[in-house]
Amino acid sequence: MSEQQLFKVTIDNITINVAPGTSILQAARSIGGDVAPPAMCFYSKLQGSGGKCRTCLVEVSKGSEKDPRPMPKLVASCRTTVMDGMEVKNITSNKVNEARAGVVEFLLINHPLDCPICDQAGECHLQDLGYEHGKAGTRYEFQRRTFQKHDIGPYIQLHMTRCILCYRCVYTADQLTNKREHGVLSRGDHSEIATYIEKAMDNDFIGNVIDVCPVGALTDKTFRFKNRVWFTKPVDAHRDCPICAGKVQLWMRGDEVFRVTARKDEWGEIKDTADGKTGWICNDCRFEKKNVSDWVIEGPSVINRHSVIAQGHYLGLKQPEETIVKVMHGQNPRFFMDIHDVSEVNRLGIDLSLIEGPATSDTFNELKKD
Amino acid sequence: MKLLLEKNHVAGIRGYEVYRREGGYRSVEKAMKMSPAEIVDEVKKSGLRGRGGAGFPTGMKWSFIAKPEGVPRHLVCNADESEPGTFKDRYLMEFLPHLLIEGLIVSSYALGSNVTYIYIRGEYAWIVDILEQAITEANNNGWLGKNILGTGFDCQIYVQRGAGAYICGEETALIESLEGKRGNPRIKPPFPAIKGVWDRPTVVNNVETLAAIVPIINMGGEEYAKIGVGKSTGTKLLSACGNINKPGVYEIDMTISVEEFIYSNEYCGGIANGKKLKACIPGGSSVPILPANLLLKTAKGETRYMNYESLSDGGFATGSMMGSGGFIVLDEDQCVVKHTYTLARFYRHESCGQCSPCREGTGWMEKILKSIDSGKGKMSDINLLWDIQSKIEGNTICPLGDAAAWPVAAAIRHFRDEFEWHVLNPDECLKRNYGLAHYADEIHVPVTA
């Protein structure tokens, strides 16, 4: 594509050139960092997704070179395409930050906040969103809406109470599988994702709805309550699968495979495989192959999102020069309790960056001896 | 001045014979001699504004429709009149079905729509029969079907019943529902004028708008534009309800004042039971409520008239909107908190649940209003309510979020003392109403007898 055909877009005072038809969100993602608006419902691999959660709202302060009028309302950046000369304000706009904080609050008022017992905790987009854009407390004082848990099929459990109705799973089931598996029943805050009359979702690729779910509403029944996400370490692996590409991420602890998921990029979306197709994986790979011998392990995955699960997160980390004594102006506070008295992990003197791959208490004990 | 309801009281006007004898379908005869572009021009000249609530110029909307080669275009009549307080379209369709059919034929010709739909709300079940009867009669007499009046233009009208969701009155949700899907509003762009029903260019117009095409063609756009004032041309149907002596559907020419509309015997006939006027929602439940003193006079002290500009004078701070013409009058005995709670409950129930601010916010507002209404509210709740509505407004996919936020915002803006009274007098507020406060004290004696 020649230079003239590209559109010049300025997002938060950073100017880039993108192809016509690109959405503001995709343009911002190509800049990366904090400029990229959060997206809870938009999923670039799913046609028609986006526009629903309203977390990606941005202010368009200049429509285009031809028509420089600003847009009257905040727009959903995932579904608004760029125009030549468009100027967008994301984190530099107070209006956007306020609206986004409002959306986070709305998303959380009916969310159970049961992170301590939720399998998604640690890689939950809603946790990230709440942490980055939310407030410390809630002003909601009423009973939260709840639903019964449903088993939809032998592998997937639907916990509607946690759902934020992003519709991603509906699009996945619609576009990835041969028939429409489920949809949304009822209206408003009592609407729910359902298969109607408790039908099972039965399809070779239906397991991918777990990967696209930004919260813990759809969980893998073979992994439920088995382990916390941050105790398992991700490694890339592949196998010869007759159904799918077979390129997956294994979540291991020691030599045990706890969970199999598709490989995800830094926006939490499933990565494309080498031939340019989205790397959806089949149910067989996801739910049935839980032995290391089933897989050819390629090596540790690099994850530049979700800090608690990222491998090598402590690599190259330097101990700060300011000690507690220095910060406290000479006072040396007495610890109420030293965590190392009760826990085997994270002993002082153990250099975490030296640990390669999944670690268990044995690993820590070995290092301690050195 | 009556244009739409001129022949309303002629016996048997619902049937084709009488309607035709009274001069019906003249506009079709006239229009078929004009080119579609000329009709669009006439409508543009008439200054007709959409009667469904937003007040967007109809001629301009029609000129936006994309005309790609070989792709059929559609006209959809929005008869999903679900706004609380609005029942003008029902009246029109029930008593003058042929007027709508006539307007639809002319509009279809102007837009090149060979298949035209009337999307009607499920609750208007008996009107479906009336409309289908009218369509059959029009078909039998050569006004519909193939080669209408020998022009080579084919048109067929289908009536589609909705299932009774308020959201399906929003044009893109209506289109989804018409296609047989769940009535969720689409994300715009693309607008229906580019991609509407089955991804084809579509125009969605209100019943009254399409009916108004008939007098526009009959008398000419310029003549039509002389009726009314400023940019509020032509006549408007208003459905008046609430605490008035004569509730009903009235046709006005937008030059009368609000005061005249409420108190004159020709229209509402004054407040029922000799009570005082407290507040009024001038354009259907979604538009901001106005206290009596701001309703009759604008903030500048000028008389407020029943037209688009005058009703919205002062913005939302001291004004309201013409909306869909659902004129709801509240007398001194009515409780604004309870009233707002009722509206919030409606919007919570009708939110489609697609985007988060509306889905969660409407439910939250309803719960807070319920607790204030039942004497369990806190002073901080009022500010919280204000904050919630400000975060819904403008941040949603479709205007339902705004429609849910505006009544709450206006109620707090103008009747904050009543909310505070509810909080401060939790026991008393269950037993009696707040009654009249300063915003209604200034009300004067009615001008007309």
Side-chain angles (χ1 to χ4, degrees):
Chain A
M1 197 174 276
S2 68
E3 197 62 36
Q4 284 88 21
Q5 279 173 312
L6 293 180
F7 280 175
K8 201 177 96 182
V9 196
T10 309
I11 303 168
D12 284 343
N13 302 323
I14 303 168
T15 305
I16 49 156
N17 293 311
V18 293
T22 314
S23 67
I24 299 174
L25 184 86
Q26 295 287 43
R29 279 184 177 180
S30 66
I31 297 171
D34 288 343
V35 174
M40 299 300 286
C41 66
F42 175 74
Y43 207 77
S44 60
K45 324 285 181 197
L46 295 171
Q47 210 193 343
S49 68
K52 294 177 172 58
C53 68
R54 316 308 280 180
T55 55
C56 70
L57 290 174
V58 292
E59 186 184 340
V60 176
S61 51
K62 182 183 166 191
S64 69
E65 208 60 67
K66 278 183 204 154
D67 183 10
R69 285 177 304 170
M71 290 194 186
K73 285 179 180 179
L74 302 181
V75 297
S77 59
C78 60
R79 289 293 292 262
T80 311
T81 48
V82 294
M83 301 298 281
D84 196 23
M86 189 184 253
E87 278 173 26
V88 179
K89 283 182 179 174
N90 179 21
I91 45 173
T92 48
S93 161
N94 281 336
K95 239 166 94 184
V96 170
N97 289 333
E98 241 173 67
R100 198 166 286 160
V103 172
V104 177
E105 193 172 19
F106 286 137
L107 284 176
L108 289 173
I109 60 168
N110 274 320
H111 190 79
L113 292 172
D114 56 349
C115 308
I117 55 147
C118 176
D119 281 312
Q120 189 85 4
E123 54 173 17
C124 174
H125 290 235
L126 192 58
Q127 278 185 327
D128 292 358
L129 185 75
Y131 187 72
E132 281 160 26
H133 302 283
K135 302 235 159 69
T138 180
R139 297 178 289 178
Y140 188 72
E141 291 171 346
F142 304 93
Q143 202 169 9
R144 287 159 199 257
R145 63 136 164 69
T146 49
F147 293 90
Q148 292 284 320
K149 284 180 206 146
H150 288 300
D151 282 340
I152 38 180
Y155 300 121
I156 306 166
Q157 189 169 62
L158 170 65
H159 195 3
M160 250 321 285
T161 310
R162 291 173 186 154
C163 180
I164 59 163
L165 284 165
C166 68
Y167 282 61
R168 277 182 189 177
C169 57
V170 178
Y171 287 110
T172 310
D174 213 15
Q175 291 167 22
L176 203 62
T177 62
N178 295 327
K179 57 174 191 253
R180 200 166 159 199
E181 297 275 358
H182 65 322
V184 178
L185 297 182
S186 302
R187 279 198 304 245
D189 56 1
H190 41 282
S191 52
E192 57 176 313
I193 304 283
T195 52
Y196 206 59
I197 357 180
E198 304 278 308
K199 234 179 103 208
M201 298 208 289
D202 176 26
N203 189 288
D204 276 345
F205 282 86
I206 202 67
N208 288 296
V209 295
I210 300 166
D211 273 351
V212 298
C213 185
V215 292
L218 289 161
T219 45
D220 182 344
K221 275 171 79 184
T222 62
F223 178 63
R224 266 179 83 79
F225 305 133
K226 292 269 172 67
N227 218 316
R228 303 309 317 225
V229 166
W230 54 88
F231 288 142
T232 58
K233 290 295 166 209
V235 292
D236 284 351
H238 66 265
R239 72 181 267 266
D240 257 345
C241 177
I243 305 168
C244 66
K247 296 205 184 324
V248 301
Q249 226 162 44
L250 303 179
W251 296 79
M252 300 175 66
R253 189 164 175 184
D255 287 337
E256 208 178 334
V257 178
F258 274 87
R259 187 167 65 131
V260 185
T261 65
R263 296 179 190 175
K264 293 183 184 177
D265 63 12
E266 58 185 311
W267 313 111
E269 294 183 2
I270 293 175
K271 275 186 195 167
D272 289 344
T273 51
D275 54 354
K277 286 182 186 155
T278 310
W280 308 107
I281 61 167
C282 65
N283 288 359
D284 202 30
C285 289
R286 184 187 300 272
F287 300 119
E288 302 294 348
K289 306 292 175 199
K290 294 286 178 81
N291 291 321
V292 184
S293 55
D294 292 332
W295 298 96
V296 181
I297 293 186
E298 296 167 12
S301 314
V302 181
I303 293 182
N304 36 15
R305 197 187 153 86
H306 301 305
S307 62
V308 289
I309 55 170
Q311 184 138 231
H313 181 63
Y314 302 103
L315 215 62
L317 212 64
K318 279 205 183 103
Q319 205 169 8
E321 281 181 15
E322 293 92 1
T323 56
I324 291 173
V325 182
K326 213 168 179 181
V327 176
M328 301 283 288
H329 303 291
Q331 291 175 5
N332 195 358
R334 194 169 56 85
F335 284 112
F336 178 67
M337 188 186 78
D338 189 346
I339 187 77
H340 302 103
D341 294 343
V342 289
S343 169
E344 284 291 309
V345 294
N346 292 4
R347 292 216 156 266
L348 290 172
I350 293 177
D351 194 347
L352 290 168
S353 66
L354 292 179
I355 300 174
E356 273 182 22
T360 61
S361 46
D362 291 343
T363 325
F364 288 105
N365 289 338
E366 262 170 46
L367 280 169
K368 195 169 65 178
K369 277 175 218 152
D370 293 344
Chain B
M1 168 135 205
K2 281 183 179 178
L3 288 177
L4 300 177
L5 304 184
E6 196 185 353
K7 300 283 162 59
N8 189 32
H9 295 292
V10 178
I13 193 79
R14 199 188 275 171
Y16 173 77
E17 298 303 327
V18 179
Y19 184 75
R20 176 70 178 148
R21 199 174 63 227
E22 292 292 326
Y25 290 99
R26 263 187 305 142
S27 69
V28 181
E29 289 170 330
K30 192 176 172 189
M32 291 295 171
K33 292 185 188 112
M34 299 157 76
S35 75
E38 281 168 359
I39 300 174
V40 175
D41 256 9
E42 286 297 316
V43 176
K44 266 189 188 167
K45 272 186 231 159
S46 74
L48 176 68
R49 294 171 70 166
R51 303 293 198 227
F56 191 81
T58 307
M60 210 192 289
K61 192 172 188 173
W62 283 12
S63 62
F64 285 156
I65 191 169
K67 290 177 179 165
E69 274 300 305
V71 180
R73 298 186 286 276
H74 292 290
L75 170 68
V76 180
C77 171
N78 184 348
D80 192 272
E81 181 186 47
S82 325
E83 184 97 345
T86 311
F87 45 88
K88 63 184 176 62
D89 295 347
R90 185 189 80 191
Y91 188 86
L92 201 67
M93 290 187 288
E94 195 172 350
F95 294 100
L96 292 156
H98 278 287
L99 184 69
L100 173 63
I101 305 300
E102 188 180 345
L104 274 170
I105 298 168
V106 175
S107 313
S108 299
Y109 176 67
L111 294 163
S113 160
N114 300 115
V115 179
T116 298
Y117 299 97
I118 301 174
Y119 183 92
I120 190 163
R121 69 183 294 206
E123 289 90 334
Y124 287 176
W126 78 101
I127 297 178
V128 177
D129 298 340
I130 295 172
L131 287 173
E132 280 183 340
Q133 173 75 24
I135 290 169
T136 314
E137 284 173 347
N139 238 327
N140 293 343
N141 290 284
W143 301 107
L144 280 171
K146 294 238 179 279
N147 196 11
I148 299 166
L149 299 185
T151 51
F153 174 68
D154 307 336
C155 182
Q156 198 46 264
I157 299 176
Y158 296 99
V159 184
Q160 173 65 46
R161 258 181 82 181
Y166 174 68
I167 190 65
C168 290
E170 200 272 341
E171 59 177 2
T172 54
L174 186 151
I175 288 169
E176 286 278 297
S177 177
L178 189 63
E179 289 180 3
K181 300 177 193 153
R182 179 186 163 89
N184 275 359
R186 289 181 184 170
I187 293 141
K188 292 182 264 189
F191 288 91
I194 314 292
K195 271 187 173 187
V197 184
W198 295 300
D199 283 357
R200 296 165 180 171
T202 305
V203 166
V204 183
N205 276 138
N206 180 255
V207 171
E208 194 193 337
T209 317
L210 291 166
I213 301 297
V214 176
I216 289 173
I217 297 299
N218 280 339
M219 63 201 296
E222 275 168 19
E223 277 300 305
Y224 186 87
K226 284 177 190 159
I227 309 164
V229 58
K231 282 183 180 167
S232 306
T233 59
T235 59
K236 173 94 184 80
L237 293 183
L238 291 171
S239 49
C241 62
N243 307 111
I244 44 174
N245 280 322
K246 289 166 65 191
V249 177
Y250 298 100
E251 185 167 7
I252 59 158
D253 65 1
M254 303 211 240
T255 52
I256 64 165
S257 67
V258 179
E259 191 173 320
E260 189 189 340
F261 184 70
I262 295 178
Y263 291 108
S264 106
N265 268 333
E266 195 186 341
Y267 301 111
C268 300
I271 309 299
N273 305 324
K275 302 272 185 186
K276 285 181 185 171
L277 171 68
K278 178 179 181 180
C280 172
I281 304 176
S285 67
S286 314
V287 310
I289 188 171
L290 281 182
N293 49 6
L294 279 174
L295 177 72
L296 304 179
K297 295 242 188 284
T298 63
K300 286 175 239 156
E302 294 157 3
T303 311
R304 207 183 275 281
Y305 290 94
M306 292 296 295
N307 60 46
Y308 288 97
E309 287 83 28
S310 186
L311 279 175
S312 56
D313 184 272
F316 279 179
T318 57
S320 184
M321 270 171 85
M322 184 91 196
S324 59
F327 198 82
I328 307 169
V329 180
L330 277 68
D331 73 12
E332 58 191 290
D333 288 348
Q334 306 310 316
C335 172
V336 170
V337 176
K338 193 171 228 67
H339 170 82
T340 315
Y341 163 53
T342 309
L343 291 182
R345 206 174 62 195
F346 172 79
Y347 288 111
R348 187 251 177 108
H349 183 70
E350 295 295 345
S351 167
C352 80
Q354 195 179 197
C355 61
S356 17
C358 175
R359 176 183 68 233
E360 308 292 353
T362 48
W364 195 0
M365 288 201 300
E366 188 222 336
K367 284 173 184 163
I368 294 175
L369 280 163
K370 188 181 180 182
S371 74
I372 296 178
D373 179 49
S374 54
K376 290 171 191 147
K378 298 194 297 285
M379 219 38 137
S380 60
D381 283 348
I382 303 169
N383 283 335
L384 177 59
L385 211 51
W386 181 266
D387 197 45
I388 296 169
Q389 69 79 21
S390 73
K391 278 175 176 159
I392 299 175
E393 193 205 336
N395 292 342
T396 52
I397 295 174
C398 79
L400 196 142
D402 301 344
W406 291 342
V408 176
I412 299 176
R413 188 183 294 123
H414 300 303
F415 299 93
R416 200 186 180 97
D417 41 0
E418 190 160 339
F419 281 86
E420 284 169 357
W421 181 80
H422 269 73
V423 172
L424 294 174
N425 304 281
D427 296 324
E428 222 179 326
C429 79
L430 296 175
K431 291 177 205 136
R432 72 171 184 92
N433 280 324
Y434 182 53
L436 279 173
H438 60 90
Y439 39 77
D441 284 346
E442 296 160 25
I443 297 312
H444 43 94
V445 211
V447 271
T448 44

